[in-house]
Amino acid sequence: MYIKKIINKFALLLKYFVRVTSLRIKLVPLDKKLPFKGKLYKSGYYQFTINNITIRALQNLKKRGVDKKNRIFLRVSESAALSEIFNIVTPEIRNYLGVESFLDGINWIETDAIKSHEKLKQSNSVSWHNDNVGNRLKLFLCIEGDGTQPTLILPDRNRIPSISRWIYMTFMEAFRWFGIRNKLNIKNSIAIKHHTGSANIFDTQLLHRGKYEKSKVKRIVLNIEFSNPKKHLISRGPIGTKEGYNSFIFDEALLKVASFKSILDPSRINKNKSFCLYAEKSGK
Protein backbone atom coordinates (compact mmCIF):
# COMPACT_ATOMS: atom_id res chain seq x y z
CA MET A 1 0.00 0.00 0.00
CA TYR A 2 2.84 2.40 0.92
CA ILE A 3 4.70 1.69 -2.33
CA LYS A 4 1.51 2.26 -4.30
CA LYS A 5 1.05 5.69 -2.65
CA ILE A 6 4.62 6.67 -3.54
CA ILE A 7 4.10 5.56 -7.15
CA ASN A 8 0.88 7.57 -7.35
CA LYS A 9 2.64 10.66 -5.98
CA PHE A 10 5.42 10.37 -8.54
CA ALA A 11 2.82 9.93 -11.30
CA LEU A 12 1.07 13.10 -10.12
CA LEU A 13 4.39 14.91 -10.00
CA LEU A 14 5.24 13.84 -13.54
CA LYS A 15 1.83 15.02 -14.73
CA TYR A 16 2.52 18.38 -13.08
CA PHE A 17 5.90 18.76 -14.83
CA VAL A 18 4.37 17.93 -18.21
CA ARG A 19 1.51 20.38 -17.67
CA VAL A 20 3.61 23.36 -16.54
CA THR A 21 6.11 22.80 -19.36
CA SER A 22 3.30 22.79 -21.91
CA LEU A 23 1.80 25.95 -20.38
CA ARG A 24 5.17 27.70 -20.44
CA ILE A 25 5.52 26.99 -24.17
CA LYS A 26 1.97 28.18 -24.96
CA LEU A 27 1.66 31.20 -22.65
CA VAL A 28 5.03 32.93 -23.03
CA PRO A 29 4.33 34.02 -26.65
CA LEU A 30 1.14 35.74 -25.43
CA ASP A 31 2.83 37.33 -22.43
CA LYS A 32 5.67 38.71 -24.55
CA LYS A 33 3.11 40.97 -26.25
CA LEU A 34 2.05 42.61 -22.97
CA PRO A 35 3.20 46.20 -22.31
CA PHE A 36 4.26 45.74 -18.65
CA LYS A 37 4.14 49.45 -17.88
CA GLY A 38 2.77 51.55 -15.02
CA LYS A 39 3.14 51.16 -11.27
CA LEU A 40 3.39 47.36 -11.39
CA TYR A 41 6.26 47.35 -13.88
CA LYS A 42 9.28 47.11 -11.56
CA SER A 43 8.05 44.51 -9.10
CA GLY A 44 4.74 43.10 -10.32
CA TYR A 45 3.17 44.46 -7.15
CA TYR A 46 1.41 47.67 -6.09
CA GLN A 47 -0.38 48.77 -2.92
CA PHE A 48 -2.87 51.55 -2.19
CA THR A 49 -5.59 52.19 0.39
CA ILE A 50 -9.34 52.64 0.12
CA ASN A 51 -11.31 55.19 2.15
CA ASN A 52 -13.62 54.43 5.06
CA ILE A 53 -16.79 54.97 3.02
CA THR A 54 -15.65 52.35 0.51
CA ILE A 55 -14.69 49.96 3.31
CA ARG A 56 -18.17 50.25 4.84
CA ALA A 57 -19.82 49.74 1.43
CA LEU A 58 -17.83 46.53 0.91
CA GLN A 59 -18.58 45.37 4.45
CA ASN A 60 -22.30 45.82 3.72
CA LEU A 61 -21.82 43.88 0.48
CA LYS A 62 -20.31 41.03 2.49
CA LYS A 63 -23.23 41.07 4.94
CA ARG A 64 -25.68 40.63 2.06
CA GLY A 65 -23.98 37.36 1.26
CA VAL A 66 -24.02 35.46 -2.03
CA ASP A 67 -26.64 33.52 -3.96
CA LYS A 68 -26.96 29.71 -4.20
CA LYS A 69 -24.26 29.66 -6.88
CA ASN A 70 -21.86 31.62 -4.65
CA ARG A 71 -22.25 34.79 -6.75
CA ILE A 72 -21.94 38.32 -5.44
CA PHE A 73 -24.66 40.83 -6.43
CA LEU A 74 -23.33 44.36 -6.88
CA ARG A 75 -26.03 47.00 -6.43
CA VAL A 76 -26.26 50.73 -7.09
CA SER A 77 -25.30 51.30 -3.47
CA GLU A 78 -21.78 50.12 -4.42
CA SER A 79 -21.38 52.66 -7.25
CA ALA A 80 -19.20 55.10 -5.29
CA ALA A 81 -17.01 52.27 -3.99
CA LEU A 82 -16.58 50.80 -7.48
CA SER A 83 -15.76 54.25 -8.83
CA GLU A 84 -12.98 54.77 -6.28
CA ILE A 85 -11.51 51.30 -6.79
CA PHE A 86 -11.63 51.11 -10.57
CA ASN A 87 -10.57 54.72 -11.15
CA ILE A 88 -7.27 53.62 -9.61
CA VAL A 89 -7.09 50.04 -10.87
CA THR A 90 -8.33 50.11 -14.47
CA PRO A 91 -5.51 52.30 -15.85
CA GLU A 92 -2.91 50.12 -14.11
CA ILE A 93 -4.44 46.90 -15.45
CA ARG A 94 -4.31 48.22 -18.99
CA ASN A 95 -0.79 49.64 -18.51
CA TYR A 96 0.43 46.24 -17.37
CA LEU A 97 -1.70 43.66 -19.23
CA GLY A 98 -2.70 45.71 -22.28
CA VAL A 99 -5.95 46.81 -23.87
CA GLU A 100 -7.13 43.21 -24.41
CA SER A 101 -7.21 42.54 -20.67
CA PHE A 102 -10.49 42.45 -18.77
CA LEU A 103 -12.03 41.77 -15.39
CA ASP A 104 -12.37 38.03 -14.83
CA GLY A 105 -14.36 37.98 -11.64
CA ILE A 106 -15.08 38.98 -8.09
CA ASN A 107 -15.31 36.69 -5.06
CA TRP A 108 -14.77 36.60 -1.33
CA ILE A 109 -11.79 34.97 0.38
CA GLU A 110 -12.47 34.51 4.08
CA THR A 111 -9.95 32.86 6.39
CA ASP A 112 -10.84 32.45 10.04
CA ALA A 113 -7.67 31.52 11.89
CA ILE A 114 -9.57 31.06 15.15
CA LYS A 115 -12.07 28.48 13.91
CA SER A 116 -9.98 26.72 11.28
CA HIS A 117 -6.32 27.23 12.14
CA GLU A 118 -5.34 23.60 11.47
CA LYS A 119 -7.23 23.60 8.16
CA LEU A 120 -5.46 26.79 7.06
CA LYS A 121 -2.07 25.34 7.92
CA GLN A 122 -2.84 22.35 5.66
CA SER A 123 -4.11 24.47 2.75
CA ASN A 124 -2.26 24.19 -0.57
CA SER A 125 -2.00 27.97 -0.68
CA VAL A 126 0.44 27.96 2.25
CA SER A 127 3.06 26.38 -0.03
CA TRP A 128 5.20 28.37 -2.47
CA HIS A 129 3.64 28.32 -5.93
CA ASN A 130 2.61 30.41 -8.90
CA ASP A 131 -0.79 30.06 -10.50
CA ASN A 132 0.55 28.62 -13.79
CA VAL A 133 -1.55 30.93 -15.94
CA GLY A 134 1.22 33.29 -17.04
CA ASN A 135 0.89 36.97 -16.19
CA ARG A 136 -2.44 37.54 -14.41
CA LEU A 137 -3.31 40.15 -11.78
CA LYS A 138 -5.18 39.71 -8.52
CA LEU A 139 -6.43 42.56 -6.37
CA PHE A 140 -6.99 41.82 -2.67
CA LEU A 141 -9.25 44.42 -1.03
CA CYS A 142 -9.16 43.78 2.71
CA ILE A 143 -12.30 44.72 4.66
CA GLU A 144 -11.25 42.96 7.86
CA GLY A 145 -7.71 42.10 8.87
CA ASP A 146 -4.75 43.07 11.02
CA GLY A 147 -1.87 42.11 8.71
CA THR A 148 -1.06 38.81 10.43
CA GLN A 149 -2.18 36.76 7.41
CA PRO A 150 0.08 38.23 4.70
CA THR A 151 0.71 37.03 1.18
CA LEU A 152 4.41 36.37 0.70
CA ILE A 153 5.80 37.09 -2.76
CA LEU A 154 9.24 36.68 -4.28
CA PRO A 155 9.92 39.73 -6.48
CA ASP A 156 11.55 39.27 -9.87
CA ARG A 157 12.97 42.03 -12.05
CA ASN A 158 11.76 40.10 -15.12
CA ARG A 159 8.03 40.17 -15.75
CA ILE A 160 8.36 36.87 -17.63
CA PRO A 161 10.61 34.49 -15.68
CA SER A 162 13.84 33.41 -17.34
CA ILE A 163 14.33 29.68 -17.98
CA SER A 164 16.51 29.32 -14.87
CA ARG A 165 14.00 31.23 -12.74
CA TRP A 166 11.12 29.17 -14.14
CA ILE A 167 12.95 25.92 -13.30
CA TYR A 168 13.50 27.19 -9.75
CA MET A 169 9.83 28.16 -9.38
CA THR A 170 8.68 24.82 -10.79
CA PHE A 171 10.92 22.98 -8.33
CA MET A 172 9.62 25.04 -5.40
CA GLU A 173 6.00 24.30 -6.30
CA ALA A 174 6.68 20.61 -6.92
CA PHE A 175 6.81 19.96 -3.17
CA ARG A 176 3.09 20.53 -2.70
CA TRP A 177 2.28 18.19 -5.59
CA PHE A 178 4.20 15.53 -3.69
CA GLY A 179 2.16 16.25 -0.58
CA ILE A 180 4.83 18.30 1.22
CA ARG A 181 4.01 21.79 2.55
CA ASN A 182 6.75 24.10 1.31
CA LYS A 183 6.92 27.02 3.74
CA LEU A 184 10.65 27.68 3.42
CA ASN A 185 11.88 31.10 4.49
CA ILE A 186 13.12 32.45 1.15
CA LYS A 187 15.61 35.29 1.23
CA ASN A 188 14.36 38.54 -0.38
CA SER A 189 10.69 37.53 -0.15
CA ILE A 190 8.25 40.33 0.73
CA ALA A 191 5.19 40.15 2.99
CA ILE A 192 2.14 41.86 1.51
CA LYS A 193 0.15 42.67 4.65
CA HIS A 194 -3.63 42.74 4.52
CA HIS A 195 -4.97 45.37 6.93
CA THR A 196 -8.53 46.67 6.90
CA GLY A 197 -8.60 49.19 4.04
CA SER A 198 -5.52 47.89 2.25
CA ALA A 199 -5.64 47.17 -1.49
CA ASN A 200 -2.86 44.93 -2.80
CA ILE A 201 -2.53 44.05 -6.46
CA PHE A 202 0.07 41.55 -7.62
CA ASP A 203 1.02 39.36 -10.57
CA THR A 204 0.29 35.70 -9.79
CA GLN A 205 3.17 34.81 -12.10
CA LEU A 206 5.36 35.62 -9.09
CA LEU A 207 6.23 32.84 -6.69
CA HIS A 208 3.94 33.40 -3.70
CA ARG A 209 2.18 31.79 -0.76
CA GLY A 210 -0.29 32.61 2.00
CA LYS A 211 1.25 32.83 5.49
CA TYR A 212 -1.40 31.85 8.03
CA GLU A 213 0.82 30.09 10.59
CA LYS A 214 0.85 32.72 13.35
CA SER A 215 -2.48 34.43 12.80
CA LYS A 216 -5.18 34.42 15.48
CA VAL A 217 -7.82 36.56 13.74
CA LYS A 218 -10.23 36.51 10.83
CA ARG A 219 -9.25 37.96 7.44
CA ILE A 220 -11.84 38.92 4.83
CA VAL A 221 -10.68 39.92 1.36
CA LEU A 222 -12.60 40.82 -1.79
CA ASN A 223 -10.61 39.15 -4.55
CA ILE A 224 -10.80 40.72 -8.03
CA GLU A 225 -8.98 39.08 -10.95
CA PHE A 226 -7.83 40.36 -14.35
CA SER A 227 -6.34 38.67 -17.42
CA ASN A 228 -6.32 38.44 -21.20
CA PRO A 229 -9.19 36.08 -22.17
CA LYS A 230 -7.04 34.50 -24.89
CA LYS A 231 -5.42 32.57 -22.05
CA HIS A 232 -8.56 30.96 -20.72
CA LEU A 233 -8.79 28.05 -23.14
CA ILE A 234 -5.04 27.52 -23.06
CA SER A 235 -4.72 27.42 -19.28
CA ARG A 236 -7.89 25.49 -18.46
CA GLY A 237 -7.14 26.20 -14.83
CA PRO A 238 -8.02 28.77 -12.15
CA ILE A 239 -8.61 31.61 -14.57
CA GLY A 240 -11.56 33.14 -16.39
CA THR A 241 -15.22 33.54 -15.47
CA LYS A 242 -16.89 30.16 -15.26
CA GLU A 243 -20.31 29.46 -13.81
CA GLY A 244 -19.66 28.94 -10.10
CA TYR A 245 -16.18 30.42 -10.38
CA ASN A 246 -15.70 34.18 -10.55
CA SER A 247 -19.10 34.93 -12.14
CA PHE A 248 -21.15 37.67 -10.47
CA ILE A 249 -24.30 39.74 -10.90
CA PHE A 250 -24.55 43.51 -11.04
CA ASP A 251 -27.19 46.19 -11.43
CA GLU A 252 -27.24 47.48 -15.01
CA ALA A 253 -27.08 51.05 -13.66
CA LEU A 254 -23.48 50.35 -12.59
CA LEU A 255 -22.48 50.53 -16.26
CA LYS A 256 -22.60 54.29 -15.72
CA VAL A 257 -19.38 53.92 -13.69
CA ALA A 258 -17.02 54.48 -16.62
CA SER A 259 -13.88 52.92 -15.11
CA PHE A 260 -15.84 49.79 -14.13
CA LYS A 261 -17.59 49.45 -17.49
CA SER A 262 -14.38 49.88 -19.48
CA ILE A 263 -12.66 46.92 -17.80
CA LEU A 264 -15.63 44.58 -18.39
CA ASP A 265 -15.52 42.15 -21.30
CA PRO A 266 -18.64 42.94 -23.41
CA SER A 267 -18.94 39.27 -24.45
CA ARG A 268 -19.40 38.27 -20.80
CA ILE A 269 -22.18 40.76 -20.00
CA ASN A 270 -25.51 38.93 -20.13
CA LYS A 271 -28.40 41.37 -19.60
CA ASN A 272 -31.59 40.25 -17.86
CA LYS A 273 -34.17 42.93 -17.07
CA SER A 274 -32.46 45.52 -14.84
CA PHE A 275 -29.44 43.43 -13.89
CA CYS A 276 -26.56 41.70 -15.68
CA LEU A 277 -24.87 38.35 -15.18
CA TYR A 278 -21.14 38.51 -15.83
CA ALA A 279 -20.04 35.07 -17.03
CA GLU A 280 -18.43 33.41 -20.03
CA LYS A 281 -20.71 31.65 -22.44
CA SER A 282 -20.90 27.90 -22.00
CA GLY A 283 -18.05 26.10 -23.74
CA LYS A 284 -15.62 29.05 -23.60
Side-chain angles (χ1 to χ4, degrees):
M1 182 67 72
Y2 178 74
I3 294 176
K4 186 177 180 180
K5 285 183 178 180
I6 294 296
I7 292 173
N8 288 338
K9 285 186 177 181
F10 271 110
L12 187 63
L13 194 60
L14 178 60
K15 185 178 180 181
Y16 159 69
F17 283 130
V18 171
R19 180 174 181 271
V20 295
T21 301
S22 175
L23 287 174
R24 165 87 182 184
I25 293 169
K26 294 176 181 178
L27 293 173
V28 165
L30 281 176
D31 287 337
K32 282 184 175 180
K33 298 177 182 179
L34 303 182
F36 296 130
K37 297 179 180 179
K39 294 176 180 177
L40 287 129
Y41 164 68
K42 289 185 178 181
S43 62
Y45 159 69
Y46 172 60
Q47 182 184 66
F48 60 98
T49 57
I50 53 178
N51 66 43
N52 290 333
I53 296 174
T54 294
I55 294 170
R56 286 196 293 271
L58 296 182
Q59 288 171 341
N60 289 333
L61 174 64
K62 181 67 173 67
K63 288 178 182 178
R64 289 209 307 268
V66 294
D67 68 8
K68 294 180 179 179
K69 295 185 177 181
N70 202 37
R71 295 179 303 203
I72 290 171
F73 193 156
L74 298 172
R75 296 179 180 172
V76 175
S77 55
E78 278 81 57
S79 60
L82 292 177
S83 180
E84 185 201 359
I85 294 163
F86 286 94
N87 283 352
I88 297 171
V89 169
T90 297
E92 296 307 325
I93 300 301
R94 292 284 162 75
N95 283 336
Y96 192 81
L97 295 179
V99 295
E100 294 184 324
S101 60
F102 296 100
L103 172 67
D104 276 343
I106 302 177
N107 54 73
W108 292 109
I109 300 176
E110 183 172 353
T111 52
D112 192 334
I114 298 174
K115 296 180 179 178
S116 55
H117 198 67
E118 289 304 314
K119 183 178 180 180
L120 285 173
K121 287 194 294 185
Q122 297 302 314
S123 168
N124 279 333
S125 66
V126 305
S127 294
W128 287 104
H129 66 284
N130 80 61
D131 290 0
N132 297 307
V133 295
N135 298 101
R136 184 268 301 278
L137 294 174
K138 281 189 176 183
L139 169 64
F140 282 5
L141 293 165
C142 183
I143 65 165
E144 184 177 338
D146 68 350
T148 58
Q149 291 186 41
T151 300
L152 302 184
I153 64 169
L154 187 63
D156 188 352
R157 64 181 180 181
N158 299 311
R159 300 283 52 83
I160 299 174
S162 63
I163 289 293
S164 59
R165 183 73 162 195
W166 174 77
I167 291 173
Y168 170 73
M169 293 167 63
T170 301
F171 172 76
M172 291 298 288
E173 182 171 352
F175 284 93
R176 73 172 185 168
W177 288 86
F178 203 74
I180 301 172
R181 307 297 170 192
N182 182 0
K183 299 184 284 185
L184 289 175
N185 184 21
I186 301 179
K187 184 180 179 180
N188 300 325
S189 62
I190 295 174
I192 300 177
K193 295 185 177 181
H194 306 291
H195 296 273
T196 301
S198 67
N200 293 288
I201 185 166
F202 69 100
D203 190 339
T204 62
Q205 174 85 288
L206 295 171
L207 199 64
H208 61 280
R209 78 176 189 90
K211 186 177 182 180
Y212 311 115
E213 297 95 294
K214 296 182 179 180
S215 176
K216 296 181 180 180
V217 300
K218 180 186 290 187
R219 188 193 76 180
I220 303 176
V221 164
L222 184 64
N223 172 44
I224 308 178
E225 302 177 5
F226 308 86
S227 73
N228 184 326
K230 290 180 180 179
K231 291 185 171 187
H232 299 176
L233 283 177
I234 296 173
S235 300
R236 295 188 179 279
I239 190 171
T241 317
K242 311 292 190 300
E243 188 69 27
Y245 173 78
N246 264 342
S247 60
F248 63 96
I249 303 168
F250 65 94
D251 194 307
E252 187 176 357
L254 291 176
L255 293 174
K256 294 179 182 179
V257 180
S259 57
F260 174 65
K261 179 182 179 181
S262 64
I263 201 68
L264 298 177
D265 184 349
S267 70
R268 282 179 258 183
I269 300 175
N270 305 281
K271 294 185 178 181
N272 187 345
K273 297 181 180 179
S274 61
F275 66 89
C276 302
L277 168 65
Y278 192 76
E280 290 176 305
K281 298 282 194 298
S282 178
K284 289 190 177 182

